[in-house]
Amino acid sequence: MSVIYLDNNATTRVAPEVFEVMRPLFEELYGNASSMHSFGGQLGKYIAKSREQIANLIGALPEEIVFTSCGTESDTTAIMSALEVQANKRHIVTTAVEHPAIINLCQHLEKKGYEITYLPVDEQGRLDLFELKKSLRDDTAIVSIMQANNETGTIFPLEEIAQIVKEKGILLHSDVVQSVGKVPLDMSKMPIDFLALSGHKLHAPKGIGVLYIRKGTRFRPFLRGGHQERGRRAGTENTPYIVGLGKACELAKEHGKEDYARVATLRDLLEQGICKAVSDVKVNGDIANRLPTTTNMSFGYIEGESILLMLDQYGICASSGSACTSGSLEPSHVLRAMNVPFTFAHGSIRFSLSRYTTVEEINKTLEVLPPIVERLRLMSPFKK
Ligand code: PLP
């Protein structure tokens, strides 16, 4: 049975072009980029090229790109650096719908005596910028707000957020793990201090990330040790993955616009097809302002996990809430923050597409899903 992979917000397939450029770095060019000999030293130019490709995608300078192991590390490093360089500031502003990489770190910091403001969202997952303005204080060390939500795809107005936060001279971090390459982001025009990126959400491998640090921003490393990344992140450079991520960013820069316009059409086909065929279904998120890849749908009176298990029998992969929080039967913190009614929140499925998704796969899903929902509703104790 072939797999229909509609879980691209959890992770993506490595692009064949990315795999190809990585291969020689495993087979022949396996040296350590920090070595004195030329066999290792020659890798410096590969790393430099990747830095340029990434910088080019987001309108940054190559020296503002620091390689990390993942999005979580980049998020953590940005926040911890802000706290370390401003030891007298003990307040952080974030949103109630951030990824656990931020939420769990903030909850940990709360236990250590920091004060955290979790900005609420409305029923469509949108922020109230007036609330953001009100939340900023003299002792706010950093504001951390994602560009796009991983569960619903809802996009926050980063430009306006940056304006509000930087007017007060406060550090601003944005988790752009889900949005980078999919929606525009130009750091030459946006005064954001830190960004977190992750390779495996844009067709590069798992285990490589980037922390963008704006030139001139005061910074302290989180991982100390060697002098790699100009002292900003210790650890031997993961050269093959760095090269792969550079290529993935180049592909996103060259083809992203057309790719994601097509993906949005397929996403809409799926969403509209489901809404037509199934009753008591609700789309979660800001429909007018979402990632082109994502739809989060609640099927009333049934459990999302049951739908997933039945879709799995047809080789269809999706997710209930965030991949990182599934395993728990509680509705996700994102849907709870949006006040999605209990009987709907439990039946939420996230479908996330990629440039490899085909119309045949969408049609197959549209054929399979409605009878599954019908069958589960007949067994449901919550049925109307
Ligand atoms: N931030 C967001 C918005 C995410 O969706 C994810 C992964 O799901 C992460 C951070 C964590 O990235 P990584 O898996 O590279 O640590």
Side-chain angles (χ1 to χ4, degrees), residues 228-286:
Q228 292 91 349
E229 297 297 286
R230 302 206 333 221
R232 293 173 297 178
R233 199 277 189 179
T236 301
E237 296 90 341
N238 185 350
T239 325
Y241 284 29
I242 287 173
V243 166
L245 179 53
K247 184 67 185 176
C249 287
E250 184 188 283
L251 293 173
K253 172 90 182 167
E254 279 176 8
H255 308 293
K257 215 168 164 189
E258 311 87 77
D259 280 349
Y260 290 110
R262 191 183 64 82
V263 170
T265 312
L266 290 179
R267 186 271 316 271
D268 293 346
L269 183 70
L270 177 68
E271 192 173 274
Q272 285 158 16
I274 292 173
C275 288
K276 224 174 184 180
V278 177
S279 63
D280 292 311
V281 60
K282 173 182 175 333
V283 179
N284 299 310
D286 185 358

Side-chain angles (χ1 to χ4, degrees), residues 4 10 80 150 154 165 176 195 239 247 258 285 317 325 333 367 379:
I4 296 180
M80 296 311 288
N150 47 300
T154 298
V165 175
V176 299
L195 296 177
T239 325
K247 184 67 185 176
E258 311 87 77
C317 310
T325 53
H333 68 287
E367 181 192 313
M379 298 186 280

Side-chain angles (χ1 to χ4, degrees), residues 6-65:
L6 301 177
D7 201 12
N8 287 278
N9 287 15
T11 196
T12 60
R13 168 188 169 185
V14 172
E17 299 93 326
V18 167
F19 191 60
E20 267 322 297
V21 296
M22 287 170 57
R23 188 192 294 272
L25 289 122
F26 289 111
E27 290 176 344
E28 301 144 33
L29 300 166
Y30 52 81
N32 185 326
S34 300
S35 295
M36 286 298 288
H37 47 71
S38 55
F39 179 67
Q42 67 180 320
L43 295 169
K45 65 176 184 291
Y46 289 83
I47 296 176
K49 180 175 174 191
S50 170
R51 235 185 272 283
E52 268 172 32
Q53 289 165 316
I54 297 162
N56 199 21
L57 176 64
I58 61 171
L61 301 170
E63 63 265 33
E64 293 175 322
I65 304 299

